Amino acid sequence: MATATKVPLASFTLSSAVYGVTFDSISQSYTDLMLVMSLRDTSSNTGNTDVYMNFNNDFGSNYSNTQIYGNGTSAVSNRGSSQRYAYAASMVPGGTASGTFNTSVINIMSYSNTATYKTLLTRTGLVNSLTALRVNMYQSVSAISTITIT
């Protein structure tokens, strides 16, 4: 008999807008984590809104990222080092798209390993806008026990 390869550890369903969500006391019994988020921005911003993550309440310059994104016509890439956060997702701004949810899937490899830095792969699809792939690194050997998303 096959065994489950994904075990839900926590879930949040929000009924109103919040600034952030924190996952505390994350079990160290597994190797990798997967976060799946369905988000929307109901603000009147004129540009896409980015969503960020921090681990273990570490807001130091211990994160780096490389990203590529495209809109079907062109593609752009960039890199950031000594960042104070990891990218979690992007959202289409309010206005005509205020009812549109965007999905982001984040894989955090070796989150419980205390001998390596943590690598994150983030895939985000923005309806009628763009698709993004980001590789983040958390430059700490500490096991991840808390994730704050803002």
Side-chain angles (χ1 to χ4, degrees):
M1 175 182 256
T3 58
T5 58
K6 294 182 177 86
V7 178
L9 300 181
S11 174
F12 283 102
T13 302
L14 305 170
S15 59
S16 62
V18 297
Y19 178 74
V21 172
T22 299
F23 294 91
D24 296 33
S25 305
I26 296 171
S27 170
Q28 300 299 301
S29 300
Y30 303 96
T31 306
D32 304 323
L33 288 176
M34 175 187 281
L35 289 130
V36 179
M37 297 184 291
S38 182
L39 307 164
R40 74 175 171 180
D41 181 355
T42 58
S43 72
S44 59
N45 294 337
T46 57
N48 292 338
T49 301
D50 288 324
V51 179
Y52 305 108
M53 291 186 295
N54 293 89
F55 303 114
N56 301 335
N57 298 310
D58 182 350
F59 295 91
S61 299
N62 299 315
Y63 304 86
S64 63
N65 63 72
T66 301
Q67 60 183 339
I68 183 168
Y69 52 93
N71 60 10
T73 304
S74 62
V76 177
S77 67
N78 57 45
R79 173 140 174 58
S81 59
S82 299
Q83 304 291 306
R84 295 173 47 99
Y85 50 79
Y87 281 102
S90 294
M91 297 183 289
V92 172
T96 59
S98 64
T100 303
F101 283 85
N102 302 287
T103 301
S104 187
V105 177
I106 304 161
N107 294 92
I108 305 171
M109 277 69 79
S110 302
Y111 80 99
S112 59
N113 188 325
T114 58
T116 62
Y117 288 170
K118 312 310 178 261
T119 303
L120 299 77
L121 296 177
T122 303
R123 297 176 310 268
T124 301
L126 301 176
V127 176
N128 299 326
S129 181
L130 61 88
T131 299
L133 175 63
R134 294 179 172 109
V135 178
N136 291 276
M137 180 177 288
Y138 176 45
Q139 298 168 357
S140 171
V141 295
S142 298
I144 295 173
S145 59
T146 301
I147 299 174
T148 302
I149 301 169
T150 54

